[in-house]
Amino acid sequence: MGNADYECPHRVEIPPAKPFLKALKSSLKETFFPDDPFRQFKNQPTSRKLVLGLQHFVPILEWAPRYTFDFFKSDLIAGITIASLAVPQGISYANLANLPAIIGLYSSFVPPLVYAMLGSSKDLAVGTVAVASLLISSMLGKVVSPTENPKLYVQLALTSTFFAGAFQASLGLLRLGFVVDFLSHATIVGFMGGAATVVCLQQLKGVLGLVHFTHETDIVSVMKSIFSQEHQWRWESAVLGCCFLFFLLLTRYFSKRKPAFFWINAMAPLCSVILGSILVFVTHAEKHGVQVIGHLKKGLNPPSISELAFGSPYLTTAIKTGIITGVIGLAEGVAVGRSFAAFKNYHIDGNKEMIAFGMMNIAGSCTSCYLTAGPFSRSAVNFNAGCKTAVSNIVMATAVMFTLLFLTPLFHYTPLVVLSAIIMAAMLGLIDYEAVIHLWKVDKVDCIVCLGAYVGVVFGSVEIGLVIAVTVSMLRVLLFVARPRTFTLGNIPNSSIYRSIDQYPDANNIPGILILQIDAPIYFANANYLRERISRWIYEEEDKLKSSGETSLHYVILDLSTVGSIDTSGISMLEEVKKNVDIKGLKLVLANPRSEVIKKLEKSKFIEKIGQEWIYVTVGEAVSACNFMLHTCKPNPGEIEVNRKDDNV
């Protein structure tokens, strides 16, 4: 055994240092501009840059010149189809938000036109959403009664919509879209399921024909309000509601079984409104306890800039409502847009979507509209109807405009119980129990997050459920950072590969060598834990070797291949580990430090302390070097570095 038997390892290179400003620029670019939106402007004349800039912020200018008549035929059919869904849903969700029904129709006219110009999704159908409507009702209803002071309530709803739009647009302009990513898939599943449950329970007011109802959204308050008014239940309303709910669920079931007949499910809500109105008109059911919408004034959206209550004593509540509903609207809309974009293999820009959502809600708040987003049900109908571009939103808005100008009197006899049935049918589709079962099978912590959001919404409030879900998700992230996993590595037989012994039980321990892998960046939050955990690994390994009578421990190899970064606390931790290892008569060896890590180790002089000869490119080379030292009677540690230099010469 000698130097000739040892294959010289490769030297770990330290990347060249970058100027601070250049490094900061690169870091900011990766954080805020991961999609590199400016690459299209490179090497372009000024006039071309101006055109590209306009197309970037107003996407319709980019695809409109390529628009064809075949596209229009598809968009026309899709637009008319979603309009048949938008009219009854708009009225229903406005009723859920305790707003005048006409505002629900207004909200399906102006915002879709704005989105068609600024949005990047071809399939998203814009409109009011149930969860945001419930949030507006529950949060604003706590400070202002929609029945006792309807004018102020409407003003606060419009004001919250303005702030929702301002918040959404700001996130997009400042490239802060990653904020929405804190709402994980599990959070959204639980939150939407809980909100859907609460919305369905709230609709029992309309189904049972109750006039007075609680403003609370938790299940206990709702059920207490229902059963404390048994003497006011209207059997006529209940029968009508159950019949229409059965009809709507039946059409949805049939459409799922036969996807080609999706239009049956899309037309069902409008058919329910028409049938319900005719039934009430013929039987005069409004005189027998069946509540109807009543008069809806004709005409397009009146301006409402002067109605924004910036000087209201309840402005704080309006701002809070706007931010929360804005985040929920973004999370749902962007997720829906990305889902359908994946089906058609195109990309949507999350930041453009945020700007589009923000601008359409700002414009909506100034034209008597309340918060709009991209609801899944309407977008699914748009997708299935074969839409090609956002022109389907323009067609839908045109159909709603025609309704506002000429058809609103026809909705006078529309029973509220039909609207309740429409909402309940839509909400039952959002309770995704199959997703919960899947989460439990794949990741039980995600399932706990999901159930926490659901329980918080159902038994507390929508805000409490959201806070619980986000808090649990954040705690999970913090726990991952503060308590990173560490593994002992072993050698896969007949190879130079080293993997976790837990994952590969056949992997062999190397006599006299302990190989540890740290599976996270090393920060101040986990430095103390890692120091103690590494010490415990060493104690356990020494005790195991003593009890088995095997070769004593000589080397501790830290595999840093998965450590993307390290801070000063992490470097101090490594220094303390080295001191503890030296006291025990062992040697610390590093393997595969990443570029950011090795740069900081070099600047902190840690490389001088440990010695360049004890840092290796791979775990395999580190093990070979340690074995070489063990089998050559433990020569001076500097001998390996001398051998390296001699070999290079």
Side-chain angles (χ1 to χ4, degrees):
M1 297 180 189
N3 293 348
D5 299 324
Y6 177 65
E7 183 179 350
C8 177
H10 303 88
R11 182 184 178 90
V12 176
E13 298 294 339
I14 301 173
K18 291 182 180 179
F20 173 74
L21 291 179
K22 186 176 180 180
L24 179 63
K25 179 182 177 182
S26 176
S27 177
L28 291 175
K29 181 180 178 180
E30 288 302 314
T31 302
F32 297 105
F33 303 97
D35 55 339
D36 192 15
F38 302 114
R39 65 183 182 279
Q40 59 182 329
F41 297 97
K42 293 177 181 177
N43 305 319
Q44 297 289 345
T46 304
S47 58
R48 180 60 181 164
K49 288 181 179 179
L50 180 61
V51 172
L52 290 173
L54 288 173
Q55 291 178 345
H56 179 78
F57 288 104
V58 188
I60 194 173
L61 298 177
E62 192 271 330
W63 55 262
R66 304 192 304 272
Y67 196 72
T68 65
F69 183 70
D70 288 335
F71 282 3
F72 178 71
K73 288 190 293 185
S74 299
D75 289 334
L76 179 64
I77 296 172
I80 293 174
T81 305
I82 57 176
S84 67
L85 181 63
V87 171
Q89 273 193 352
I91 296 173
S92 303
Y93 292 160
N95 184 51
L96 176 61
N98 288 324
L99 292 168
I102 193 67
I103 291 182
L105 291 179
Y106 291 158
S107 302
S108 294
F109 175 47
V110 172
L113 295 176
V114 177
Y115 181 82
M117 293 187 292
L118 302 178
S120 61
S121 173
K122 302 175 183 178
D123 303 283
L124 206 67
V126 171
T128 54
V129 289
V131 176
S133 302
L134 176 67
L135 279 166
I136 290 172
S137 173
S138 62
M139 297 181 72
L140 296 183
K142 291 178 180 178
V143 296
V144 176
S145 172
T147 54
E148 296 175 3
N149 198 345
K151 183 178 180 181
L152 179 58
Y153 182 83
V154 171
Q155 289 176 338
L156 291 177
L158 296 176
T159 306
S160 68
T161 300
F162 174 84
F163 282 107
F167 179 71
Q168 292 170 332
S170 298
L171 288 180
L173 290 170
L174 298 175
R175 311 286 294 184
L176 297 176
F178 59 85
V179 172
V180 181
D181 294 336
F182 283 106
L183 292 176
S184 64
H185 171 68
T187 301
I188 294 175
V189 169
F191 179 79
M192 298 297 286
T197 302
V198 170
V199 169
C200 287
L201 293 173
Q202 287 275 347
Q203 297 318 298
L204 293 176
K205 171 190 175 183
V207 172
L208 298 174
L210 299 177
V211 177
H212 303 288
F213 206 69
T214 180
H215 291 297
E216 301 296 328
T217 59
D218 64 283
I219 187 172
V220 176
S221 299
V222 171
M223 299 309 292
K224 184 178 179 181
S225 179
I226 291 171
F227 287 103
S228 64
Q229 303 182 70
E230 286 184 72
H231 58 286
Q232 296 183 15
W233 291 5
R234 298 284 185 175
W235 68 267
E236 301 93 339
S237 181
V239 170
L240 196 62
C242 290
C243 290
F244 278 106
L245 179 59
F246 176 76
F247 168 70
L248 291 166
L249 293 178
L250 185 64
T251 56
R252 187 173 70 184
Y253 174 78
F254 181 76
S255 296
K256 284 185 176 180
R257 293 291 299 271
K258 302 288 185 180
F261 295 100
F262 72 91
W263 54 270
I264 295 177
N265 185 41
M267 298 293 290
L270 184 60
C271 292
S272 299
V273 169
I274 295 172
L275 290 174
S277 301
I278 293 173
L279 186 62
V280 170
F281 178 76
V282 172
T283 62
H284 301 287
E286 76 278 9
K287 298 179 181 179
H288 298 86
V290 177
Q291 302 174 46
V292 297
I293 290 178
H295 175 68
L296 289 180
K297 61 180 180 180
K298 292 196 294 185
L300 300 180
N301 304 33
S304 57
I305 299 178
S306 60
E307 298 296 316
L308 299 179
F310 295 126
S312 171
Y314 306 111
L315 180 62
T316 303
T317 303
I319 295 174
K320 183 174 73 171
T321 304
I323 291 176
I324 293 177
T325 55
V327 170
I328 296 300
L330 274 183
E332 181 180 3
V334 174
V336 170
R338 285 175 176 168
S339 299
F340 289 116
F343 281 119
K344 291 187 177 180
N345 195 29
Y346 70 92
H347 173 72
I348 68 169
D349 188 325
N351 289 292
K352 284 183 184 179
E353 290 296 285
M354 292 176 185
I355 295 173
F357 275 44
M359 296 307 297
M360 77 181 185
N361 279 312
I362 291 174
S365 68
C366 298
T367 53
S368 302
C369 306
Y370 80 105
L371 190 128
T372 52
F376 176 80
S377 58
R378 200 178 300 188
S379 300
V381 170
N382 193 34
F383 176 83
N384 290 326
C387 69
K388 298 299 183 183
T389 67
V391 169
S392 60
N393 278 289
I394 298 176
V395 175
M396 177 188 70
T398 305
V400 173
M401 178 188 71
F402 183 82
T403 302
L404 287 168
L405 289 174
F406 305 107
L407 303 180
T408 50
L410 300 179
F411 294 100
H412 182 280
Y413 289 100
T414 300
L416 296 182
V417 65
V418 172
L419 302 183
S420 296
I422 291 172
I423 294 175
M424 292 179 74
M427 290 301 98
L428 288 174
L430 294 180
I431 304 176
D432 194 353
Y433 64 90
E434 292 180 350
V436 178
I437 295 173
H438 178 72
L439 288 173
W440 178 257
K441 291 179 179 178
V442 176
D443 191 327
K444 290 179 173 53
V445 176
D446 261 355
C447 187
I448 292 172
V449 171
C450 175
L451 294 177
Y454 181 87
V455 171
V457 172
V458 173
F459 290 94
S461 66
V462 177
E463 306 98 287
I464 290 175
L466 187 61
V467 169
I468 289 175
V470 173
T471 301
V472 175
S473 297
M474 291 296 294
L475 286 175
R476 185 183 187 187
V477 173
L478 292 175
L479 186 63
F480 176 78
V481 173
R483 294 292 183 268
R485 293 174 295 177
T486 56
F487 308 99
T488 55
L489 304 184
N491 177 242
I492 302 294
N494 302 316
S495 75
S496 60
I497 300 172
Y498 292 82
R499 291 292 183 266
S500 168
I501 293 176
D502 287 337
Q503 184 179 0
Y504 297 90
D506 293 337
N508 299 319
N509 288 309
I510 309 301
I513 303 173
L514 173 63
I515 311 170
L516 300 176
Q517 184 179 69
I518 301 173
D519 194 27
I522 304 176
Y523 292 129
F524 65 92
N526 59 28
N528 187 57
Y529 165 78
L530 286 173
R531 182 184 65 251
E532 295 175 354
R533 190 67 186 91
I534 291 171
S535 297
R536 185 150 62 92
W537 277 117
I538 295 173
Y539 292 141
E540 292 173 353
E541 183 70 13
E542 288 181 328
D543 290 342
K544 185 175 72 173
L545 292 175
K546 286 179 182 178
S547 62
S548 62
E550 297 178 12
T551 306
S552 59
L553 186 63
H554 295 285
Y555 296 95
V556 177
I557 300 176
L558 291 184
D559 179 10
L560 303 180
S561 58
T562 56
V563 179
S565 59
I566 190 171
D567 66 359
T568 53
S569 297
I571 296 172
S572 298
M573 181 274 292
L574 290 179
E575 291 174 346
E576 292 179 28
V577 169
K578 181 184 181 304
K579 289 179 183 178
N580 294 335
V581 168
D582 288 345
I583 291 173
K584 291 177 174 293
L586 309 177
K587 193 65 186 177
L588 180 65
V589 183
L590 302 184
N592 195 19
R594 308 290 289 275
S595 60
E596 290 299 314
V597 174
I598 195 68
K599 280 195 295 185
K600 290 185 179 180
L601 294 181
E602 193 268 338
K603 290 179 181 178
S604 65
K605 309 297 183 182
F606 180 77
I607 292 180
E608 294 181 9
K609 296 175 184 177
I610 192 174
Q612 179 73 48
E613 66 273 18
W614 295 110
I615 303 177
Y616 296 88
V617 174
T618 67
V619 173
E621 291 185 348
V623 171
S624 297
C626 294
N627 276 328
F628 175 77
M629 295 293 295
L630 285 173
H631 293 91
T632 53
C633 302
K634 301 180 183 178
N636 188 291
E639 190 171 317
I640 291 182
E641 181 64 14
V642 172
N643 292 338
R644 278 185 183 171
K645 293 178 180 177
D646 291 342
D647 191 276
N648 291 336
V649 171

